[in-house]
């Protein structure tokens, strides 16, 4: 085991080397990261692949409540990120693992290690599902390609993307070599947001609204919080960004987090609202599953998103592998074990992703089981144990509220995700993509209206 008594979970020297390597990429001629660079890194950590499931969370919670919950999750994330650094300052530690290790000892170290392993591992599974779903529809739009061709099926694409791209990139030992991915991912995410905004105007009016489209709250609100938590979590990167600040203080870190969260919640709200307003009750876990296959603009968006998740996948693999190295190998892997461990992790994630094709349930489980405790429970528990402030102090009062809420979201979210799974129509064209199909349930439009609208839609929007 990599754990030894009360030593930090990650050996100090190894942790220092990683930080120096990452930060060195941002230093040129003695310059360190500026405040704006730190903000960019936090925003990029939040606005990633998880954003694709936010419209689905609106469907689960009810649109009005969903907007309120999204704002609340962003506020709690903001608070917990600041609380994490406050806990580190109180304990004299500089990593998430060493903070929990010093606060709760070996049991806390084990629990955090399990959470930090499964969160990126399940994220890898979701990335494979997204890759197979999105790129298969992109390749089907190539002229002369048979839609039933095995080589453009989701299973083949997942395997091809793994062998050709994600595995080679994941074999890097130095995560700093993946630094340029952040900029590419951010640009592509901006393009995707623009496409979703364009389609809410051109496509939204022609999609029938379900009867429950504007219901204030729905029973699956807890599951929605899990999906939102998955989208907002960035705690595993927080110590690296904090250490890169020119003036690493709690006050400076608070400024970085507040600005980052404002930008992130603005983009997230825009994406969630536009996606949901387009499809209302028909919104799926993977928003791109809702768009018709003959929509060329969305096909380009699918391609951008597929590239984004392929480039982001290796970062999650790096974190997963790093947890195993710290727990079982003292923080370092030989070249042979590095390759074996990488191949084993990616193979396991690939096999699971080939067996399931419903993104919604994956996002729900990862958000409830991993993201919720990492955001709500662990930072609060550490601060409550370390802080000597009176119980009436605002930070302690907020921590006392966050901790039980996190436990409820974790337990109830898991139970509801397993016992009441949401419908998933993966790989199927939605009914509104066929002008002659008016078999709609829970729709507030007439047969004549629907047929007329869909005829216009098919002629005017997808040429």
């Amino acid at each position: 085991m990599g754990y030894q008594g009360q030593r930090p979970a990650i050996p100090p020297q190894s942790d220092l080397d990683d930080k120096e390597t990452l930060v060195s990429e941002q230093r040129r001629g003695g310059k360190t990261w500026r405040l704006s660079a730190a903000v960019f890194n936090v925003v990029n950590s939040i606005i990633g692949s998880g954003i694709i499931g936010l419209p689905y969370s609106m469907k689960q919670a009810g649109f009005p409540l969903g907007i309120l919950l999204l704002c609340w999750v962003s506020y709690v994330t903001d608070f917990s990120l600041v609380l994490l650094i406050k806990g580190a300052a109180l304990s004299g530690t500089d990593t998430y693992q060493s903070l929990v290790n010093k606060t709760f000892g070996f049991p806390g170290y084990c629990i955090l290690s399990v959470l930090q392993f499964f969160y990126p591992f399940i994220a890898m599974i979701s990335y494979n599902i997204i890759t197979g779903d999105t790129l298969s529809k992109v390749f089907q739009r190539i002229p002369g390609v048979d839609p039933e061709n095995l080589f453009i099926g989701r299973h083949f694409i997942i395997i091809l993307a793994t062998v050709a791209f994600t595995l080679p990139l994941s074999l890097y030992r130095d995560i700093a070599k993946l630094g340029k991915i952040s900029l590419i991912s951010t640009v592509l995410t901006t393009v995707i947001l623009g496409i979703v905004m364009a389609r809410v105007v051109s496509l939204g009016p022609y999609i029938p609204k379900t009867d429950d489209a504007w219901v204030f709250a729905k029973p699956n609100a807890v599951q929605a919080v899990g999906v939102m938590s998955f989208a907002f979590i960035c705690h595993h990167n927080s110590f690296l960004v904090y250490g890169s600040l020119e003036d690493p203080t709690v006050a400076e870190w608070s400024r970085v987090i507040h600005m980052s969260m404002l930008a992130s919640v603005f983009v997230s709200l825009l994406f969630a609202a536009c996606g949901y307003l387009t499809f209302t009750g028909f919104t799926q876990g993977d928003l791109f599953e809702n768009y018709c296959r003959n929509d060329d603009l969305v096909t380009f968006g699918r391609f951008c998103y597929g590239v984004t998740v392929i480039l982001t996948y290796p970062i999650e693999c790096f974190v997963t592998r790093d947890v195993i190295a710290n727990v079982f190998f003292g923080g370092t892997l030989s070249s042979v074990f590095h390759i074996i461990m990488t191949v084993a992790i990616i193979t396991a994630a690939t096999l699971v992703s080939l067996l399931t094709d419903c993104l919604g349930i994956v996002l729900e489980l990862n958000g409830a089981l991993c993201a919720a405790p990492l955001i709500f429970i662990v930072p609060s528990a550490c601060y409550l144990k370390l802080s000597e402030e009176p119980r009436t102090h605002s930070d302690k009062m907020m921590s006392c509220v966050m901790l039980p809420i996190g436990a409820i979201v974790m337990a109830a979210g898991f139970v509801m995700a397993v016992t009441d799974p949401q419908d998933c129509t993966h790989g199927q064209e939605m009914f509104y993509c066929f002008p002659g199909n008016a078999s709609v349930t829970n729709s507030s439009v007439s047969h004549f209206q629907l047929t007329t609208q869909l005829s216009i839609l098919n002629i005017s929007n997808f040429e």
Side-chain angles (χ1 to χ4, degrees), residues 295-363:
D295 187 337
D296 291 332
L297 179 62
V298 173
T299 297
F300 177 68
R302 289 190 177 105
F303 175 76
C304 292
Y305 194 60
V307 173
T308 298
V309 297
I310 288 175
L311 296 179
T312 307
Y313 183 104
I315 298 177
E316 303 298 343
C317 182
F318 186 98
V319 176
T320 306
R321 184 179 61 222
D322 195 52
V323 171
I324 295 176
N326 289 323
V327 173
F328 297 104
F329 299 96
T332 57
L333 292 172
S334 66
S335 298
V336 174
F337 273 102
H338 172 83
I339 295 174
I340 293 174
M341 193 60 61
T342 303
V343 172
I345 292 170
I346 291 181
T347 299
T350 302
L351 289 176
V352 175
S353 61
L354 292 174
L355 296 175
T356 181
D357 56 13
C358 195
L359 183 63
I361 184 66
V362 176
L363 297 180

Side-chain angles (χ1 to χ4, degrees), residues 130-381:
I130 292 170
T131 300
D133 288 346
T134 56
L135 293 186
S136 62
K137 293 178 177 60
V138 171
F139 295 147
Q140 288 173 7
R141 291 293 293 159
I142 299 175
V145 174
D146 182 3
E148 302 300 323
N149 192 314
L150 176 66
F151 296 105
I152 61 171
R154 66 178 301 272
H155 291 87
F156 181 80
I157 289 175
I158 291 174
I159 296 173
L160 178 63
T162 298
V163 174
F165 299 104
T166 56
L167 178 58
L169 291 173
S170 298
L171 286 172
Y172 279 124
R173 297 183 69 95
D174 184 1
I175 196 173
K177 294 182 179 179
L178 302 175
K180 294 180 180 179
I181 288 176
S182 296
L183 178 59
I184 298 174
S185 297
T186 301
V187 172
L188 292 178
T189 301
T190 303
V191 172
I192 295 166
L193 176 59
I195 292 173
V196 172
M197 292 173 63
R199 277 294 175 250
V200 72
V201 176
S202 62
L203 176 60
Y206 300 107
I207 304 297
K209 309 305 177 188
T210 52
D211 287 339
D212 62 350
W214 315 120
V215 171
F216 180 82
K218 296 181 182 179
N220 299 108
V222 174
Q223 292 166 271
V225 173
V227 176
M228 295 171 188
S229 299
F230 173 81
F232 272 85
I233 187 171
C234 59
H235 294 58
H236 53 295
N237 293 330
S238 58
F239 283 94
L240 288 174
V241 179
Y242 173 73
S244 71
L245 293 173
E246 189 170 2
D247 181 24
T249 62
V250 174
E252 190 73 359
W253 175 249
S254 298
R255 290 181 60 199
V256 169
I257 294 304
H258 296 335
M259 289 189 289
S260 302
M261 203 56 59
L262 281 174
S264 300
V265 73
F266 173 76
V267 173
S268 298
L269 284 170
L270 199 58
F271 193 95
C274 290
Y276 179 79
L277 291 175
T278 306
F279 303 106
T280 61
F282 303 113
T283 306
Q284 298 192 54
D286 181 349
L287 183 65
F288 280 121
E289 286 291 295
N290 280 105
Y291 294 100
C292 303
R293 297 184 185 183
N294 57 353
D295 187 337
D296 291 332
L297 179 62
V298 173
T299 297
F300 177 68
R302 289 190 177 105
F303 175 76
C304 292
Y305 194 60
V307 173
T308 298
V309 297
I310 288 175
L311 296 179
T312 307
Y313 183 104
I315 298 177
E316 303 298 343
C317 182
F318 186 98
V319 176
T320 306
R321 184 179 61 222
D322 195 52
V323 171
I324 295 176
N326 289 323
V327 173
F328 297 104
F329 299 96
T332 57
L333 292 172
S334 66
S335 298
V336 174
F337 273 102
H338 172 83
I339 295 174
I340 293 174
M341 193 60 61
T342 303
V343 172
I345 292 170
I346 291 181
T347 299
T350 302
L351 289 176
V352 175
S353 61
L354 292 174
L355 296 175
T356 181
D357 56 13
C358 195
L359 183 63
I361 184 66
V362 176
L363 297 180
E364 290 173 6
L365 289 174
N366 204 12
L369 294 179
C370 301
L374 288 172
I375 292 176
F376 295 89
I377 300 175
V378 179
S380 301

